[in-house]
Each structure stands twice: as structure tokens, then as C-alpha cells.
Amino acid sequence: VRTLIENKNSDPVRNGGLLTVITDNTGKEVAKNEIPFYVEGDTETELHQKITVSDPELWSVDSPELYTLKTYIKKDGKIIDNIDTDFGIRELEFSSEKGFLLNGEQLKIKGVCLHHTAGCVGAAVPDGVWERQLKILKEMGCNAVRTAHNPFAPEFYDMCDRIGLLVKAEAFDELYEPKANGLMINDVVPYGYHIYFHEWGVYDLKQMIRRDRNHPSIFLWSVGNEVKEQVTSDGHKIIKELIDVCHQEDPTRPATSACNRIAREYGPSTTVEFMEELDIVAYNYVDLSTQRRELYFTVDKMAHPEWKMIGGENSAIYSTRGDYSLGHDPDKVMASYNTNMIDQSMLWKYILAHDFV
């Protein structure tokens, strides 16, 4: 347990005490530790404790067991501050051969990409709206969520902790390079994050990880979505800096960046140097290039057997909301709804048949 204590007073705390208590989901105390500390005025200190929980109940998507870390700051033997932090105990493993393992058992990630808004509700989403949506996703077989493409509200991760949904937590949709807004050639998103990345990128990434790293639901960090740097000559240096920040702030989880230009036949492709900086190579639309249409991940697996791979974003079954034609009604916008199912069925069969994905 690493606890950062900040003394905002000018006087030093000479006889401080840090009491850490762990309780299970019934409130029963299962472990505790207390150490003294000294901190000068107007400074901060980080204290380290090692606490053993015997025979813990492990957090998983089927049994999302939670514990609470109760932190008490003492001065002259009296408690002057305290905070409770929920957490879970579980083991994450990514393998180039077996794919993803949770608590030692292989688990296929059945995920969806969600944005931070909720339809007509907008961006200030009431907890009940998220809880209803997440429970429906869990009931239909979903076990993971990708936060596309920025940090969500803390309450969202709390719900995923309780419900048992894994989270791929994503930071940015732009780095230094702006994206086109789709309206005009060479036109860019007017308020895109590229305006702020130079000054705030590393700081914001650190703050996101520090705020959210105690959530057991988060199993993977993503530092970017389809960023332009994936195809530039120095993009691998930029992404390395962000991956290194993830490792420094949280050595327990791997980090990635979602790549949508791997082996593309038009325009530049994602550089191998960029992909090699990622702990897990995340493929957005692995079947977009002709040579990958049915081979999918196999081409890169043969060339780079040590790579760990994940489908970052795959095509959905395209439709117009409320209109699901099976092709018999030519007036429907999506008359090929049924043929679009074939692509998804083929990709999912491939994923089930190949452990490394």
C-alpha cells in the first residue's frame, strides 16, 4: 500500500501515525498495519506498507468481490483525517500464446466501446442510467467495456467494479497531430485535444491513472485511439513516453494504443516501431485490409510470435436505429443487414479458435 500524505500546515508533524485497515464486503476486518511517520511543514511524504490478506476472495467478472482499504492519519495519537478506498484482489496475465487470463483462467474478452454520453441525457449521466445500461450489457453476455476515448466519471468505474465488467481505460483521441472533422479537406476538429496535448498530455495521463488505478475492473490502459502518430517517423518515440508514464504510475497493468492503420493498402500504415512500443498491440478493424480479410491476426502472429494482441475495435452489424431489414424491403436504408452478420460471425469464430487473440 502506497499512501501519499500532504502536510498543508507550516508546522512539521513529528509524531504522526498511519493506520491502514482492510475490511471485506461484510465490513469484517481482515488485516491491518500501523507505522509512524514524520513530515515537514508544507511538504508531502509517501509511505509504503505491505499487508497480507489470508485466503482472499478474488475479484472476477462472475464474482466481483470487493474489499475496502480504510486509511487513518493520526497526530499525537488522535485521528485527524481518513479516507476509504474500495479495491479488489485479482491476477491479470497477458500471454502471447494463451491470450488473456484472469486469476489464472483464460477469458475471452467480449467487449463494447462506450462513449461518455448517454443519448438525450448528454454528458452529465445520472448513475441510474449507467447502471441500467451496464446491467443489460452484462445480461446479454458482455464482460468488458472500452471507455472511448477519454476518462469517464469515477462512478462509472465503481459500477463496473460492483457489476463485474472489465474496463479498458482510454485517455486520448488525439496527441500532437489533429484529426479531420470530416466536413472539409484539411479541416480539423476545432476543439480537439491536440491543442492541449503539448502542455497537458503527460499531466492528464498521470492524473487519470492515479485517480483510477485502484479499480479492479480496469485491466488495460490505452493512451490513444487511432492517433495520427501511429504512421509518423517519430510516432514511436511519442507513444513510448506515454507507455512509460503508465508503467511508472501503475506497474501492475499493461498499456496499449488502438491502431486502425495496420497493413492498410491506401495511405500510410502503422509503423512496426510504433506497435513494438505497445505492451499489447490493439487492432482496430483487423479485417479492413484485403490481405487480412480472412487471415486476420495470423499474418502478424507469424512475423512477430512474441506480440500480444487484442481486438481494439471491430465492426458492428451496421444498421439504422430502429430499422433492421433482412433484405426483403428495398426501401430500408440497410437492406444488407443480414450479410453484415457474416463478417462478424467469421471474425468471432476465428477469435474463439485462436487462443492468442
Side-chain angles (χ1 to χ4, degrees):
V1 183
R2 298 189 307 179
T3 306
L4 185 67
I5 298 174
E6 183 180 6
N7 183 8
K8 294 186 176 181
N9 297 314
S10 57
D11 296 330
V13 176
R14 294 186 173 86
N15 51 352
L18 170 64
L19 172 62
T20 303
V21 178
I22 297 176
T23 59
D24 62 18
N25 58 13
T26 68
K28 178 184 176 182
E29 181 181 305
V30 296
K32 69 178 179 180
N33 181 268
E34 186 169 3
I35 57 174
F37 71 88
Y38 171 89
V39 59
E40 292 282 358
D42 299 317
T43 60
E44 60 186 31
T45 184
E46 185 175 86
L47 304 178
H48 293 195
Q49 295 166 290
K50 190 170 183 179
I51 307 175
T52 299
V53 177
S54 300
D55 193 25
E57 297 287 339
L58 300 183
W59 187 96
S60 70
V61 294
D62 296 323
S63 181
E65 296 288 341
L66 293 175
Y67 289 85
T68 300
L69 188 81
K70 296 179 175 292
T71 304
Y72 301 94
I73 303 297
K74 294 182 177 181
K75 181 182 179 183
D76 298 327
K78 296 181 180 179
I79 295 174
I80 60 171
D81 199 3
N82 70 286
I83 190 170
D84 289 354
T85 305
D86 290 335
F87 72 101
I89 300 174
R90 82 289 179 267
E91 182 183 31
L92 307 176
E93 181 184 352
F94 285 84
S95 166
S96 60
E97 297 178 356
K98 299 180 181 179
F100 174 67
L101 297 93
L102 180 62
N103 298 325
E105 297 183 5
Q106 187 187 59
L107 181 69
K108 286 295 183 181
I109 297 165
K110 305 171 186 176
V112 296
C113 299
L114 291 182
H115 289 270
H116 71 286
T117 56
C120 60
V121 176
V125 185
D127 291 355
V129 173
W130 271 133
E131 189 165 13
R132 173 182 178 272
Q133 184 173 4
L134 293 175
K135 285 183 177 178
I136 291 173
L137 287 170
K138 186 72 183 289
E139 289 168 2
M140 66 177 258
C142 173
N143 64 16
V145 171
R146 173 187 178 213
T147 58
H149 309 286
N150 47 259
F152 279 27
E155 292 80 5
F156 177 88
Y157 305 101
D158 290 338
M159 292 180 202
C160 292
D161 291 343
R162 295 194 304 269
I163 293 172
L165 286 168
L166 292 163
V167 177
K168 176 183 175 184
E170 197 159 61
F172 308 122
D173 199 30
E174 288 181 339
L175 305 181
Y176 290 106
E177 298 289 334
K179 292 183 177 180
N181 66 12
L183 299 178
M184 298 173 60
I185 297 175
N186 296 326
D187 198 9
V188 301
V189 178
Y191 302 107
Y193 191 74
H194 68 274
I195 299 172
Y196 313 101
F197 181 80
H198 178 79
E199 182 178 1
W200 291 99
V202 170
Y203 176 85
D204 283 347
L205 180 60
K206 286 182 178 180
Q207 293 305 308
M208 180 187 88
I209 296 173
R210 290 177 183 179
R211 188 194 73 170
D212 298 330
R213 61 190 173 191
N214 288 318
H215 290 284
S217 56
I218 295 178
F219 75 107
L220 180 62
W221 302 111
S222 175
V223 298
N225 169 64
E226 302 181 358
V227 296
K228 293 291 189 68
E229 283 77 3
Q230 67 183 294
V231 302
T232 62
S233 59
D234 63 346
H236 63 286
K237 299 177 183 178
I238 297 169
I239 211 68
K240 181 183 186 303
E241 180 183 9
L242 299 179
I243 297 292
D244 286 346
V245 169
C246 293
H247 294 165
Q248 292 160 9
E249 296 298 326
D250 177 19
T252 73
R253 297 178 180 89
T256 187
S257 181
C259 304
N260 68 321
R261 299 207 61 86
I262 297 175
R264 295 296 282 271
E265 282 125 352
Y266 58 91
S269 294
T270 309
T271 67
V272 173
E273 292 83 1
F274 187 93
M275 290 185 280
E276 287 185 336
E277 293 296 344
L278 309 177
D279 297 325
I280 318 292
V281 183
Y283 291 72
N284 281 20
Y285 308 102
V286 67
D287 57 346
L288 270 187
S289 69
T290 302
Q291 61 169 300
R292 309 295 174 92
R293 189 58 51 85
E294 293 181 357
L295 295 175
Y296 303 117
F297 301 87
T298 299
V299 177
D300 282 347
K301 188 61 181 175
M302 295 180 68
H304 307 278
E306 76 283 0
W307 282 8
K308 301 168 185 177
M309 303 176 178
I310 188 172
E313 186 174 318
N314 299 313
S315 300
I317 300 172
Y318 302 108
S319 65
T320 299
R321 185 171 295 170
D323 278 346
Y324 304 102
S325 169
L326 295 179
H328 57 272
D329 186 350
D331 294 329
K332 297 288 186 181
V333 176
M334 292 301 297
S336 60
Y337 176 74
N338 55 340
T339 59
N340 283 325
M341 296 180 190
I342 296 174
D343 290 340
Q344 310 320 311
S345 177
M346 289 176 61
L347 178 57
W348 183 238
K349 287 178 180 178
Y350 176 96
I351 291 171
L352 286 179
H354 293 80
D355 286 346
F356 66 87
V357 184

